[in-house]
Amino acid sequence: GELAAISNYSVWHFIRIFARVFGETPMEHAHRLRMSHAVQLIKEGRLSVSEVSREAGFETFSAFCRSFRDEFGTTVTQFRERAITA
């Protein structure tokens, strides 16, 4: 909503233009950035999974775990174990 107001477009029109230009909606873009940040934090290995979920901007731990599994096809713990051994 804020980006649409700044650009002087309606929310619907802003989302449509954004998706046409970037190939994803603003929400999809934000989600991709959050997941990318989470992956970096997991690979660093200094934070717990619950800390990673908060740092990546997820409101609940379960929402983060579900989103991560949907995005990468594996649990956060399994991903971390593979990243450590790689």
Side-chain angles (χ1 to χ4, degrees):
E2 288 179 47
L3 293 174
I6 291 168
S7 61
N8 206 28
Y9 289 117
S10 70
V11 172
W12 181 85
H13 190 63
F14 177 80
I15 291 170
R16 192 171 56 125
I17 291 171
F18 189 99
R20 189 179 322 147
V21 171
F22 295 105
E24 61 189 355
T25 67
M27 289 295 289
E28 290 167 340
H29 180 72
H31 179 74
R32 186 175 51 78
L33 292 176
R34 289 169 52 196
M35 294 307 287
S36 177
H37 182 58
V39 165
Q40 283 302 112
L41 294 172
I42 291 166
K43 286 180 177 180
E44 288 174 8
R46 58 181 175 79
L47 298 177
S48 70
V49 175
S50 61
E51 290 170 324
V52 168
S53 72
R54 281 192 302 276
E55 188 72 25
F58 285 84
E59 293 207 13
T60 66
F61 178 70
S62 61
F64 171 66
C65 291
R66 185 174 42 256
S67 184
F68 193 92
R69 187 179 57 247
D70 290 347
E71 182 81 17
F72 299 106
T74 185
T75 67
V76 180
T77 304
Q78 290 168 336
F79 184 89
R80 175 174 265 170
E81 288 170 358
R82 283 194 298 257
I84 290 171
T85 60

